[in-house]
Amino acid sequence: MPDALTLSDLHVYHGDICAVRGLDMSCAEGAVTALLGRNGAGKTTTLSAIAGLLGTRQGHVELFGKALGGRKPEAICKLGVGLVPQGRRIFPSLTVQEHLAIAFRRPRHAAERVYDVAAMETLFPRLKERRRQLAGSMSGGEQQMLAIARALVTNPRVLLLDEPAEGLAQQIVAEVAEAISELKRAGLSILLVEHNLPLALRLADTCVILSSGEVVWRGAPHILANDSDLMAQHLGVH
Ligand SMILES: Nc1ncnc2c1ncn2[C@@H]1O[C@H](COP(=O)(O)OP(=O)(O)OP(=O)(O)O)[C@@H](O)[C@H]1O
Ligand SMILES: [Mg+2]
């Protein structure tokens, strides 16, 4: 059985700037893989490249063994990659319902679960209460829940989460974390970028640390949690 996601020798540029240099990593099926690193390390660039929003100059991305290279974002989404972008990127003038209706796509593969609007309203009861509300008038936490739900209703095989806890109050972080735990329990494969280290360590099965676009460490969360030098050097945690 291939990994859910495999990145091999991935190089991604912004113009002439090489932001990801020769990245090798994989995400096991049904696991949470945390991609960590300081600001500017290349985390968002990596997720954008997987989702097809940025071209890759060298290297490969494979989803369950199928090469994604050169495809457009819509095609990559159809094949089963769901992205929750940093900063949420919701549409302020659309309602919750409209976001989910536009994004919904039946699973292509024989799936045990279908993430539809009803499933999202069970996962995030706040979204049910706000079904007809314009997303721009919702709180940051509600917008984040909507961004996650919007990615889930595409029925992805791999979910890419870019800083889901960013800028949220602690209580809301707990709600979002519980939802991610539930997705993990349901067997979804997740690649999580997160600056909230306690949260990332709690959710992750394995961790990869990037620095200047290169992998500087990979291993189990409990090993990282007990290595204060490593956390200080590469994550700025003292
Ligand atoms: N649109 C862009 N144009 C030029 N350079 C960019 C662009 N986006 C990112 N970069 C550069 O690429 C590098 C990696 O950025 P990236 O956004 O991937 O980092 P990150 O790890 O997600 O950081 P953060 O934790 O702050 O979100 C940085 O040096 C950044 O300045
Ligand atoms: Mg980022």
Side-chain angles (χ1 to χ4, degrees), residues 45-65:
T45 302
T46 301
L47 297 198
S48 301
I50 297 167
L53 300 169
L54 281 174
T56 57
R57 210 169 282 184
Q58 193 178 317
H60 302 282
V61 179
E62 287 179 7
L63 181 74
F64 289 93

PDB file of all heavy atoms in Angstrom, residues 45-65:
ATOM      1  N   THR A  45       4.448  27.186   1.176  1.00  0.00           N
ATOM      2  CA  THR A  45       4.909  26.929  -0.201  1.00  0.00           C
ATOM      3  C   THR A  45       4.749  25.447  -0.536  1.00  0.00           C
ATOM      4  O   THR A  45       4.297  25.094  -1.624  1.00  0.00           O
ATOM      5  CB  THR A  45       6.389  27.359  -0.337  1.00  0.00           C
ATOM      6  OG1 THR A  45       6.489  28.744  -0.006  1.00  0.00           O
ATOM      7  CG2 THR A  45       6.913  27.119  -1.731  1.00  0.00           C
ATOM      8  N   THR A  46       5.083  24.577   0.420  1.00  0.00           N
ATOM      9  CA  THR A  46       4.964  23.130   0.199  1.00  0.00           C
ATOM     10  C   THR A  46       3.505  22.744  -0.035  1.00  0.00           C
ATOM     11  O   THR A  46       3.185  22.038  -0.999  1.00  0.00           O
ATOM     12  CB  THR A  46       5.519  22.355   1.417  1.00  0.00           C
ATOM     13  OG1 THR A  46       6.886  22.719   1.583  1.00  0.00           O
ATOM     14  CG2 THR A  46       5.396  20.862   1.237  1.00  0.00           C
ATOM     15  N   LEU A  47       2.606  23.226   0.823  1.00  0.00           N
ATOM     16  CA  LEU A  47       1.187  22.867   0.666  1.00  0.00           C
ATOM     17  C   LEU A  47       0.631  23.426  -0.644  1.00  0.00           C
ATOM     18  O   LEU A  47      -0.154  22.757  -1.339  1.00  0.00           O
ATOM     19  CB  LEU A  47       0.357  23.386   1.853  1.00  0.00           C
ATOM     20  CG  LEU A  47       0.679  22.841   3.243  1.00  0.00           C
ATOM     21  CD1 LEU A  47      -0.488  23.108   4.195  1.00  0.00           C
ATOM     22  CD2 LEU A  47       1.008  21.370   3.244  1.00  0.00           C
ATOM     23  N   SER A  48       1.052  24.645  -1.000  1.00  0.00           N
ATOM     24  CA  SER A  48       0.572  25.246  -2.249  1.00  0.00           C
ATOM     25  C   SER A  48       1.035  24.434  -3.451  1.00  0.00           C
ATOM     26  O   SER A  48       0.298  24.282  -4.437  1.00  0.00           O
ATOM     27  CB  SER A  48       1.088  26.682  -2.391  1.00  0.00           C
ATOM     28  OG  SER A  48       0.649  27.457  -1.306  1.00  0.00           O
ATOM     29  N   ALA A  49       2.246  23.914  -3.372  1.00  0.00           N
ATOM     30  CA  ALA A  49       2.762  23.100  -4.481  1.00  0.00           C
ATOM     31  C   ALA A  49       1.996  21.783  -4.581  1.00  0.00           C
ATOM     32  O   ALA A  49       1.647  21.339  -5.682  1.00  0.00           O
ATOM     33  CB  ALA A  49       4.257  22.843  -4.294  1.00  0.00           C
ATOM     34  N   ILE A  50       1.695  21.161  -3.447  1.00  0.00           N
ATOM     35  CA  ILE A  50       0.937  19.897  -3.465  1.00  0.00           C
ATOM     36  C   ILE A  50      -0.433  20.132  -4.114  1.00  0.00           C
ATOM     37  O   ILE A  50      -0.900  19.350  -4.937  1.00  0.00           O
ATOM     38  CB  ILE A  50       0.751  19.333  -2.033  1.00  0.00           C
ATOM     39  CG1 ILE A  50       2.098  18.983  -1.407  1.00  0.00           C
ATOM     40  CG2 ILE A  50      -0.179  18.116  -2.051  1.00  0.00           C
ATOM     41  CD1 ILE A  50       2.039  18.716   0.094  1.00  0.00           C
ATOM     42  N   ALA A  51      -1.060  21.259  -3.738  1.00  0.00           N
ATOM     43  CA  ALA A  51      -2.410  21.558  -4.232  1.00  0.00           C
ATOM     44  C   ALA A  51      -2.404  22.105  -5.655  1.00  0.00           C
ATOM     45  O   ALA A  51      -3.472  22.360  -6.222  1.00  0.00           O
ATOM     46  CB  ALA A  51      -3.085  22.551  -3.286  1.00  0.00           C
ATOM     47  N   GLY A  52      -1.235  22.319  -6.233  1.00  0.00           N
ATOM     48  CA  GLY A  52      -1.144  22.777  -7.620  1.00  0.00           C
ATOM     49  C   GLY A  52      -1.258  24.281  -7.791  1.00  0.00           C
ATOM     50  O   GLY A  52      -1.373  24.779  -8.909  1.00  0.00           O
ATOM     51  N   LEU A  53      -1.226  25.014  -6.673  1.00  0.00           N
ATOM     52  CA  LEU A  53      -1.325  26.471  -6.766  1.00  0.00           C
ATOM     53  C   LEU A  53       0.007  27.085  -7.163  1.00  0.00           C
ATOM     54  O   LEU A  53       0.071  28.223  -7.631  1.00  0.00           O
ATOM     55  CB  LEU A  53      -1.784  27.063  -5.412  1.00  0.00           C
ATOM     56  CG  LEU A  53      -3.152  26.569  -4.938  1.00  0.00           C
ATOM     57  CD1 LEU A  53      -3.407  26.984  -3.501  1.00  0.00           C
ATOM     58  CD2 LEU A  53      -4.248  27.125  -5.845  1.00  0.00           C
ATOM     59  N   LEU A  54       1.078  26.351  -6.928  1.00  0.00           N
ATOM     60  CA  LEU A  54       2.425  26.773  -7.346  1.00  0.00           C
ATOM     61  C   LEU A  54       3.024  25.639  -8.169  1.00  0.00           C
ATOM     62  O   LEU A  54       2.855  24.474  -7.812  1.00  0.00           O
ATOM     63  CB  LEU A  54       3.323  26.997  -6.125  1.00  0.00           C
ATOM     64  CG  LEU A  54       3.189  28.294  -5.343  1.00  0.00           C
ATOM     65  CD1 LEU A  54       4.072  28.234  -4.102  1.00  0.00           C
ATOM     66  CD2 LEU A  54       3.583  29.490  -6.212  1.00  0.00           C
ATOM     67  N   GLY A  55       3.723  25.995  -9.208  1.00  0.00           N
ATOM     68  CA  GLY A  55       4.396  24.971 -10.013  1.00  0.00           C
ATOM     69  C   GLY A  55       5.642  24.474  -9.293  1.00  0.00           C
ATOM     70  O   GLY A  55       6.177  25.166  -8.422  1.00  0.00           O
ATOM     71  N   THR A  56       6.057  23.285  -9.625  1.00  0.00           N
ATOM     72  CA  THR A  56       7.304  22.773  -9.039  1.00  0.00           C
ATOM     73  C   THR A  56       8.351  22.741 -10.144  1.00  0.00           C
ATOM     74  O   THR A  56       8.034  22.442 -11.296  1.00  0.00           O
ATOM     75  CB  THR A  56       7.110  21.356  -8.481  1.00  0.00           C
ATOM     76  OG1 THR A  56       6.653  20.512  -9.529  1.00  0.00           O
ATOM     77  CG2 THR A  56       6.079  21.351  -7.380  1.00  0.00           C
ATOM     78  N   ARG A  57       9.577  23.094  -9.778  1.00  0.00           N
ATOM     79  CA  ARG A  57      10.600  23.138 -10.809  1.00  0.00           C
ATOM     80  C   ARG A  57      11.310  21.803 -10.953  1.00  0.00           C
ATOM     81  O   ARG A  57      11.879  21.480 -11.972  1.00  0.00           O
ATOM     82  CB  ARG A  57      11.611  24.241 -10.461  1.00  0.00           C
ATOM     83  CG  ARG A  57      12.174  24.799 -11.730  1.00  0.00           C
ATOM     84  CD  ARG A  57      12.968  26.033 -11.538  1.00  0.00           C
ATOM     85  NE  ARG A  57      12.247  27.266 -11.345  1.00  0.00           N
ATOM     86  CZ  ARG A  57      12.887  28.431 -11.253  1.00  0.00           C
ATOM     87  NH1 ARG A  57      14.205  28.480 -11.331  1.00  0.00           N
ATOM     88  NH2 ARG A  57      12.216  29.539 -11.067  1.00  0.00           N
ATOM     89  N   GLN A  58      11.259  21.045  -9.877  1.00  0.00           N
ATOM     90  CA  GLN A  58      11.938  19.749  -9.878  1.00  0.00           C
ATOM     91  C   GLN A  58      11.270  18.878  -8.821  1.00  0.00           C
ATOM     92  O   GLN A  58      10.790  19.396  -7.823  1.00  0.00           O
ATOM     93  CB  GLN A  58      13.412  19.995  -9.494  1.00  0.00           C
ATOM     94  CG  GLN A  58      14.335  18.830  -9.736  1.00  0.00           C
ATOM     95  CD  GLN A  58      15.772  19.219  -9.360  1.00  0.00           C
ATOM     96  OE1 GLN A  58      16.230  20.323  -9.676  1.00  0.00           O
ATOM     97  NE2 GLN A  58      16.455  18.341  -8.673  1.00  0.00           N
ATOM     98  N   GLY A  59      11.250  17.582  -9.046  1.00  0.00           N
ATOM     99  CA  GLY A  59      10.713  16.670  -8.043  1.00  0.00           C
ATOM    100  C   GLY A  59       9.293  16.241  -8.339  1.00  0.00           C
ATOM    101  O   GLY A  59       8.702  16.645  -9.341  1.00  0.00           O
ATOM    102  N   HIS A  60       8.766  15.389  -7.454  1.00  0.00           N
ATOM    103  CA  HIS A  60       7.458  14.772  -7.696  1.00  0.00           C
ATOM    104  C   HIS A  60       6.563  14.829  -6.466  1.00  0.00           C
ATOM    105  O   HIS A  60       7.049  14.774  -5.345  1.00  0.00           O
ATOM    106  CB  HIS A  60       7.634  13.287  -8.031  1.00  0.00           C
ATOM    107  CG  HIS A  60       8.504  13.058  -9.211  1.00  0.00           C
ATOM    108  ND1 HIS A  60       8.061  13.233 -10.490  1.00  0.00           N
ATOM    109  CD2 HIS A  60       9.799  12.686  -9.286  1.00  0.00           C
ATOM    110  CE1 HIS A  60       9.047  12.975 -11.321  1.00  0.00           C
ATOM    111  NE2 HIS A  60      10.113  12.635 -10.624  1.00  0.00           N
ATOM    112  N   VAL A  61       5.266  14.883  -6.734  1.00  0.00           N
ATOM    113  CA  VAL A  61       4.256  14.703  -5.688  1.00  0.00           C
ATOM    114  C   VAL A  61       3.384  13.537  -6.129  1.00  0.00           C
ATOM    115  O   VAL A  61       2.910  13.517  -7.273  1.00  0.00           O
ATOM    116  CB  VAL A  61       3.369  15.957  -5.528  1.00  0.00           C
ATOM    117  CG1 VAL A  61       2.318  15.720  -4.443  1.00  0.00           C
ATOM    118  CG2 VAL A  61       4.196  17.194  -5.216  1.00  0.00           C
ATOM    119  N   GLU A  62       3.193  12.571  -5.238  1.00  0.00           N
ATOM    120  CA  GLU A  62       2.311  11.446  -5.552  1.00  0.00           C
ATOM    121  C   GLU A  62       1.225  11.303  -4.506  1.00  0.00           C
ATOM    122  O   GLU A  62       1.507  11.397  -3.308  1.00  0.00           O
ATOM    123  CB  GLU A  62       3.106  10.134  -5.608  1.00  0.00           C
ATOM    124  CG  GLU A  62       3.973  10.029  -6.844  1.00  0.00           C
ATOM    125  CD  GLU A  62       4.766   8.736  -6.889  1.00  0.00           C
ATOM    126  OE1 GLU A  62       4.550   7.856  -6.019  1.00  0.00           O
ATOM    127  OE2 GLU A  62       5.593   8.615  -7.785  1.00  0.00           O
ATOM    128  N   LEU A  63      -0.005  11.082  -4.986  1.00  0.00           N
ATOM    129  CA  LEU A  63      -1.147  10.839  -4.102  1.00  0.00           C
ATOM    130  C   LEU A  63      -1.509   9.366  -4.242  1.00  0.00           C
ATOM    131  O   LEU A  63      -1.908   8.942  -5.343  1.00  0.00           O
ATOM    132  CB  LEU A  63      -2.315  11.728  -4.538  1.00  0.00           C
ATOM    133  CG  LEU A  63      -3.590  11.620  -3.717  1.00  0.00           C
ATOM    134  CD1 LEU A  63      -3.437  12.304  -2.371  1.00  0.00           C
ATOM    135  CD2 LEU A  63      -4.764  12.229  -4.490  1.00  0.00           C
ATOM    136  N   PHE A  64      -1.344   8.607  -3.196  1.00  0.00           N
ATOM    137  CA  PHE A  64      -1.567   7.151  -3.243  1.00  0.00           C
ATOM    138  C   PHE A  64      -0.916   6.549  -4.493  1.00  0.00           C
ATOM    139  O   PHE A  64      -1.521   5.756  -5.217  1.00  0.00           O
ATOM    140  CB  PHE A  64      -3.065   6.821  -3.181  1.00  0.00           C
ATOM    141  CG  PHE A  64      -3.668   7.093  -1.832  1.00  0.00           C
ATOM    142  CD1 PHE A  64      -4.271   8.311  -1.563  1.00  0.00           C
ATOM    143  CD2 PHE A  64      -3.589   6.154  -0.816  1.00  0.00           C
ATOM    144  CE1 PHE A  64      -4.806   8.577  -0.309  1.00  0.00           C
ATOM    145  CE2 PHE A  64      -4.128   6.410   0.443  1.00  0.00           C
ATOM    146  CZ  PHE A  64      -4.738   7.621   0.693  1.00  0.00           C
ATOM    147  N   GLY A  65       0.310   6.988  -4.765  1.00  0.00           N
ATOM    148  CA  GLY A  65       1.085   6.417  -5.863  1.00  0.00           C
ATOM    149  C   GLY A  65       0.839   7.039  -7.226  1.00  0.00           C
ATOM    150  O   GLY A  65       1.510   6.702  -8.190  1.00  0.00           O
TER     151      GLY A  65
END
